Amino acid sequence: MTQKNLNHWVNKLEDSDLPILGKTMDVLKSAEKFIDAHSSQLTETILKDPNMTASVLKLANSALYSRNKKISTISRAILSLGFEAIRSLCISSLILESLPQETNPYLHKAIANAFQSALQARNLANQKGVDNSETIYIAALLYNLGEIAFWCSDDDQKMDMVSALDKGMNIKQAQEKVLGFSFNQLTMAMTKQWRISDVLQESLMRKDAPDSASRAVVLSQQLIRALPGGWEH
């Protein structure tokens, strides 16, 4: 790993204040306050964002939560979904909302994998009766934050990476050749600098993480990588 290059990228992403980092970090840092907020304050926050409002109402009226009763207000949706589900939904909405609207298949794949792994990690946690399933959801969602941030950047190295991948080089080789470090190492550096999540740090540091929360995150990543081979893989 080239530490100088890694430090350059971490500083570059911080200085650029990418929306995906700024908005999400603000929410994560006040996670406990967000959960403990009064319903009226939370409702007001959600209503300021039309997309977030639509997402909350859509989930509240889904077959999983609606119980055949139409929910048309955010306050009722909060009561139906619970603060934990609302927090995860809002964080997800902020991330999607802040991403650049460009046709980059590598960025789209990274985003899709992030949400799929987050759902799988939460399912694993719930099946095992692990507490803090929403914390696990967020850690899995941000596991590939370095990769997503890289594809969101306007750096010339992004085109070099696309060129290497289009020529048939695998993703690990391309990262080492173009950047001198891996996306995982970038995520780890960003996680430490912004003190994002202890669960995420543990998951990135140890693939055999003994902690049940980190283990769920690691397993979800392994599952996502195996899926292209089919469910029998």
Side-chain angles (χ1 to χ4, degrees):
M1 176 181 71
T2 306
Q3 189 65 43
K4 183 178 179 180
N5 288 350
L6 180 59
N7 292 337
H8 163 75
W9 265 96
V10 173
N11 293 331
K12 173 184 173 65
L13 293 172
E14 183 174 32
D15 292 341
S16 67
D17 192 26
L18 286 174
I20 188 175
L21 300 178
K23 290 185 178 180
T24 306
M25 292 313 104
D26 287 343
V27 174
L28 287 172
K29 288 175 182 176
S30 59
E32 294 306 316
K33 293 180 181 178
F34 198 81
I35 295 173
D36 294 335
H38 294 298
S39 179
S40 59
Q41 294 173 314
L42 188 53
T43 299
E44 183 180 346
T45 300
I46 294 171
L47 286 173
K48 289 178 181 178
D49 189 320
N51 291 332
M52 194 180 294
T53 299
S55 296
V56 169
L57 290 177
K58 181 179 179 180
L59 180 61
N61 284 295
S62 68
L64 183 61
Y65 293 99
S66 67
R67 298 182 180 85
N68 297 320
K69 293 182 179 180
K70 176 73 173 177
I71 295 176
S72 56
T73 66
I74 292 299
S75 57
R76 282 192 62 194
I78 291 172
L79 291 174
S80 175
L81 296 172
F83 286 125
E84 293 284 358
I86 289 289
R87 179 164 66 94
S88 286
L89 186 63
C90 290
I91 289 173
S92 303
S93 179
L94 285 175
I95 291 176
L96 279 178
E97 203 176 287
S98 62
L99 292 173
Q101 301 300 309
E102 59 176 87
T103 55
N104 182 330
Y106 299 108
L107 172 60
H108 293 172
K109 182 179 179 181
I111 295 169
N113 285 346
F115 281 96
Q116 176 71 312
S117 62
L119 290 171
Q120 296 300 336
R122 183 165 58 188
N123 287 341
L124 287 167
N126 289 334
Q127 288 173 20
K128 292 293 184 180
V130 179
D131 293 333
N132 301 322
S133 62
E134 298 308 316
T135 300
I136 293 169
Y137 176 92
I138 293 169
L141 185 69
L142 299 179
Y143 190 91
N144 293 311
L145 181 60
E147 179 180 5
I148 293 174
F150 171 81
W151 290 122
C152 286
S153 75
D154 58 0
D155 194 274
D156 290 340
Q157 286 187 307
K158 185 168 73 171
M159 296 310 299
D160 294 338
M161 183 74 76
V162 170
S163 176
L165 293 171
D166 287 348
K167 290 178 180 177
M169 190 177 293
N170 69 48
I171 186 66
K172 289 184 178 180
Q173 292 172 333
Q175 290 170 44
E176 189 59 39
K177 179 179 179 180
V178 176
L179 298 174
F181 56 84
S182 69
F183 287 148
N184 265 18
Q185 288 170 322
L186 179 57
T187 301
M188 173 62 81
M190 294 164 68
T191 300
K192 287 182 177 179
Q193 182 141 329
W194 289 296
R195 301 176 183 175
I196 297 175
S197 163
D198 291 340
V199 174
L200 177 54
Q201 286 191 40
E202 177 72 15
S203 304
L204 289 164
M205 289 173 62
R206 298 188 58 181
K207 304 306 179 185
D208 59 341
D211 177 76
S212 53
S214 300
R215 185 64 179 157
V217 175
V218 173
L219 287 173
S220 74
Q221 298 300 318
Q222 293 173 347
L223 176 59
I224 295 307
R225 287 195 295 272
L227 279 178
W231 285 103
E232 302 301 320
H233 177 58

